[in-house]
Amino acid sequence: MNAEKEQSDSFLGTKTGRLLFFIVFGLCMVGATFQLWLMWLTEIPLGVPGEWVWPRASQQLGSLLDLLPALLSGLLLIGYLCWSTRPLTSRPRTGAWLFGLVLLGIGWTFALHSIIPVGGGTGRSAFVMFYPRTSGYYFQARFEAADLPKFLTEYETEISDADDPENYLHIGTHPPGLTVLNRLLIDLCNQNPKLSDVVNQLRPPAVVAAMQEIERAHLNDGQELTSGDIAALWLMIALSQLCAVLTVVPLYFLTRQIGSISSARLTAGLWLTVPALLVFLPKSDAVFPFLVLLLQWLWINALERNSTIFGVFTGLLFTFAASLSLAFMTVGVILFLQMLAHYSRSRAGLHPTVGGIVAGVACLLLINHFYDVNLFSIWIQNLRNHAHFYDHNTRTYIDWLLINPVEAAVAVGVPLAVCGIVGAGFLLKKNNRDQRWILVGLFIWIVLWLSGKNMGEAARLWLFLMPYAVLAATPFFARLNTSESWILRRFLPMTLLILQTIVCIATAIQIDGFGFTEL
C-alpha cells in the first residue's frame, strides 16, 4: 500500500497527472449535463423505435417540493459518506459504518420511490411484483405452483412449448428458482398467521392501498387472496429491497483490497446512486448484483488462499444463483477466466476450482434425485427459448451495437461510468496485476455487448454486471485519496458524488422501467 501511495503521489504531483484528473472531472460534468438534458429536455427515443424504447414518465412533478424526500435522503447519504471518509483515525468502525450505510440505503430507496410520478410511488412495488406483465414469479407461485413438487416435475415440459409466447418472452427463459422462493414464502406466511399479521402491519400506506386494489381485482375474478398471500408478497418486496442495498457489503470488502478505507467507503456508497438500481427495484434484476458480488468475494478469497472450502461455498452459491437466472452463467464464465489468469500467474487455483465444481455437480444431482428436477436440461431449454425470442421479434444488430453502450452509461450514471473507464485504465498498469480480475468482468461485458444477445432492455438485463463498473472506478478514487492536495483528495470525489446523486434522482423519476405509462 505504501508503494502504491508513493507511485500515486509522484503521479499526482506532476502537471500531467493533475491535468488528467481535472480533465476527468470535466468529462464527468459534461456527462452529467448530457444525461440530464437527454432525460428531461429532449424527446429523443431511449432505444430503437419500432424495436424497444424505454418510456419516459408521462406525468411531471408538480413542484420542487415534490422532490423533497429524495433530496433530503440524498443529502443524508452524501453527508454520511463525506463524514465517514475523512482522513482521521476517529472514523466509525467497519461494522457500524456498513450498518449505517445499509439503513440510509433503505431510506434512500424508499424516499426516491415515493416521488416517482407513475405507478403509485412506493405502492408500485406491489404491482411490479404481483402481475405477470412486470415480473410474474409471484403470480406463477400463487396460482400455478400450489403443488410445488408437481410444478417442478412438469417445469421442463411446460417451458418446452415453443408456441407459448411466455416461454420465449419471459418465464420460459428463466429457471424455476424465483417461483420456488415465492411459493415457499406464500406457504410460510399462510401456515403462520401471527407472522402474516406482523408482516402486514409493517407495510407503508401506499403499499397497503396498492395491495387492496390487487385484492379487489382478484376477488372480482373469483381468486381470493388470503392475508398470508399478501404478507408473502410484501415480504418478497422487502427482501428484494434489502438485498439490493446489502450489495454495498461485499462491494466494500472487495474495494478495500484495492484502495484505502476512505476510497473503499466512497465507492461502496456510490452503488446506491446507480440509476438502474432505483429504476428496476424491486424486480429480481436489482437483487442479482448482491449475489454476483458475494460470489466474487468468495471466489477471490478462494483463489488468493487456494482454499477448497471457499471453492465449495462458491460452487454452492453459484448453483443457487443459477437456479434463479441464466445471467449467472455469464458470471460463471467470469469466475473461470479469473481462475485461469490467477493460475497463469501463481500456479494456484485448482483446489478451489475442483471443490467448486464437485459441490455444484453434487447439488445438481441431489436436486434431481429428491425433486425430479434436471436443472441442467432446464438451463439448455432456457437458452433455446431465449434464442426463439429473436425469431419473433425484429432487432437490428448495428443499431443496438451503437445504442447499448450509451444506455449502459446512462444506467450506471455517466459520471460514475467515466470514473470506471479511467479506473480500468489504471488497472492495466503493472503494479495493479492483483486487481485485474475486475477487468475480466468488464471484458465479458464487452463480449456480451458485441454478441448481440441483449438487443433491448440492456439497462435492466446488464444490471447484474454493473458492480464491475463501480469496482473499476475504485483505482481512480484510490489515487485521488493519496493526493496531498485538498482539492484532489476531498473536493473532487465529493463533487462527483453529488453529481452522481443528482443524475440518479433525475433518471430514476423520469424512466418508466415497467411500462406504467402504457396502461
Side-chain angles (χ1 to χ4, degrees):
M1 184 66 73
N2 289 333
E4 179 189 344
K5 184 177 183 346
E6 288 174 9
Q7 283 194 331
S8 298
D9 284 342
S10 64
F11 176 73
L12 290 172
T14 65
K15 288 184 178 180
T16 303
R18 290 194 297 271
L19 180 61
L20 172 63
F21 280 94
F22 282 113
I23 289 174
V24 172
F25 178 70
L27 288 174
C28 290
M29 292 284 288
V30 171
T33 304
F34 165 76
Q35 186 159 344
L36 295 174
W37 171 80
L38 178 66
M39 292 294 106
W40 286 90
L41 300 178
T42 77
E43 294 297 328
I44 296 173
L46 304 175
V48 177
E51 297 185 11
W52 177 268
V53 174
W54 291 111
R56 290 177 172 84
S58 59
Q59 304 170 27
Q60 301 296 321
L61 292 166
S63 71
L64 289 177
L65 287 177
D66 295 332
L67 288 171
L68 197 58
L71 291 176
L72 288 177
S73 59
L75 285 173
L76 281 173
L77 179 62
I78 292 168
Y80 185 71
L81 291 173
C82 184
W83 167 73
S84 62
T85 56
R86 296 167 299 163
L88 300 172
T89 56
S90 59
R91 289 176 299 200
R93 293 186 177 183
T94 298
W97 177 80
L98 282 171
F99 181 74
L101 184 62
V102 169
L103 285 182
L104 279 174
I106 293 171
W108 156 251
T109 54
F110 272 103
L112 190 48
H113 284 169
S114 72
I115 67 168
I116 293 176
V118 293
T122 53
R124 75 174 191 154
S125 59
F127 299 120
V128 168
M129 293 293 272
F130 183 84
Y131 286 109
R133 183 177 181 276
T134 48
S135 180
Y137 304 110
Y138 178 89
F139 193 91
Q140 186 178 54
R142 172 60 181 83
F143 297 108
E144 299 174 26
D147 186 343
L148 192 55
K150 181 182 178 183
F151 169 80
L152 289 172
T153 301
E154 298 175 351
Y155 190 78
E156 185 180 351
T157 303
E158 288 294 323
I159 65 171
S160 299
D161 182 2
D163 296 325
D164 185 353
E166 274 299 306
N167 284 337
Y168 60 79
L169 287 174
H170 181 40
I171 291 291
T173 62
H174 291 274
L178 287 168
T179 301
V180 171
L181 285 179
N182 276 280
R183 186 67 236 180
L184 292 176
L185 285 180
I186 290 170
D187 290 342
L188 173 68
C189 291
N190 276 307
Q191 292 167 13
N192 296 274
K194 289 184 179 179
L195 173 64
S196 297
D197 291 341
V198 171
V199 171
N200 283 330
Q201 287 172 6
L202 295 174
R203 295 175 297 165
V207 173
V208 172
M211 289 183 173
Q212 287 174 344
E213 188 174 329
I214 291 171
E215 286 183 89
R216 284 193 296 269
H218 279 267
L219 186 61
N220 292 335
D221 293 338
Q223 298 174 320
E224 184 176 359
L225 296 174
T226 66
S227 175
D229 294 336
I230 295 300
L233 179 58
W234 170 236
L235 199 54
M236 180 55 76
I237 292 168
L239 288 173
S240 299
Q241 202 101 353
L242 177 62
C243 286
V245 173
L246 279 175
T247 304
V248 300
V249 177
L251 179 57
Y252 170 77
F253 287 110
L254 285 167
T255 54
R256 184 66 185 91
Q257 298 177 12
I258 303 170
S260 66
I261 292 176
S262 293
S263 59
R265 287 181 174 184
L266 175 62
T267 311
L270 277 166
W271 170 253
L272 298 173
T273 66
V274 170
L277 178 72
L278 280 301
V279 170
F280 298 109
L281 266 175
K283 270 183 74 88
S284 55
D285 302 87
V287 175
F288 295 157
F290 172 65
L291 295 175
V292 169
L293 287 184
L294 204 52
L295 277 168
Q296 189 64 82
W297 180 81
L298 285 171
W299 191 235
I300 291 300
N301 278 276
L303 294 178
E304 290 180 350
R305 304 179 189 196
N306 200 28
S307 169
T308 303
I309 295 299
F310 271 88
V312 168
F313 285 143
T314 306
L316 293 174
L317 181 59
F318 174 80
T319 305
F320 167 74
S323 75
L324 306 179
S325 172
L326 275 187
F328 288 94
M329 295 302 171
T330 303
V331 179
V333 174
I334 292 172
L335 301 184
F336 181 71
L337 290 179
Q338 287 171 344
M339 184 278 293
L340 292 180
H342 184 80
Y343 183 79
S344 68
R345 190 173 68 251
S346 62
R347 291 293 181 266
L350 292 181
H351 288 107
T353 303
V354 172
I357 291 172
V358 170
V361 170
C363 243
L364 293 177
L365 292 175
L366 288 172
I367 291 170
N368 190 30
H369 176 74
F370 287 105
Y371 299 102
D372 195 22
V373 178
N374 188 333
L375 267 179
F376 186 78
S377 296
I378 288 173
W379 290 330
I380 298 297
Q381 188 57 50
N382 290 151
L383 288 170
R384 288 177 183 151
N385 290 344
H386 187 272
H388 289 328
F389 173 85
Y390 294 105
D391 295 334
H392 297 85
N393 297 271
T394 302
R395 293 291 187 267
T396 309
Y397 174 80
I398 190 64
D399 289 347
W400 288 108
L401 188 69
L402 299 173
I403 289 292
N404 275 347
V406 179
E407 182 169 329
V410 169
V412 172
V414 176
L416 184 53
V418 170
C419 296
I421 292 170
V422 176
F426 287 137
L427 288 172
L428 292 172
K429 291 182 174 291
K430 288 183 179 180
N431 61 307
N432 290 318
R433 283 181 179 175
D434 291 343
Q435 285 82 48
R436 287 186 182 173
W437 54 268
I438 299 172
L439 294 178
V440 177
L442 296 177
F443 170 73
I444 293 300
W445 194 349
I446 292 171
V447 170
L448 195 60
W449 161 49
L450 295 175
S451 72
K453 291 295 183 184
N454 299 128
M455 293 186 284
E457 296 190 77
R460 178 179 66 83
L461 297 173
W462 287 353
L463 186 49
F464 77 103
L465 290 171
M466 289 178 194
Y468 288 102
V470 183
L471 284 165
T474 307
F476 172 77
F477 289 110
R479 293 215 172 207
L480 285 177
N481 192 61
T482 61
S483 173
E484 297 296 330
S485 166
W486 177 84
I487 292 177
L488 289 174
R489 190 182 66 253
R490 297 292 288 166
F491 178 76
L492 256 64
M494 290 305 113
T495 304
L496 290 174
L497 172 61
I498 293 169
L499 276 178
Q500 178 70 17
T501 305
I502 292 170
V503 161
C504 178
I505 294 173
T507 305
I509 63 178
Q510 179 68 328
I511 300 301
D512 178 12
F514 303 109
F516 285 114
T517 55
E518 299 170 3
L519 299 177

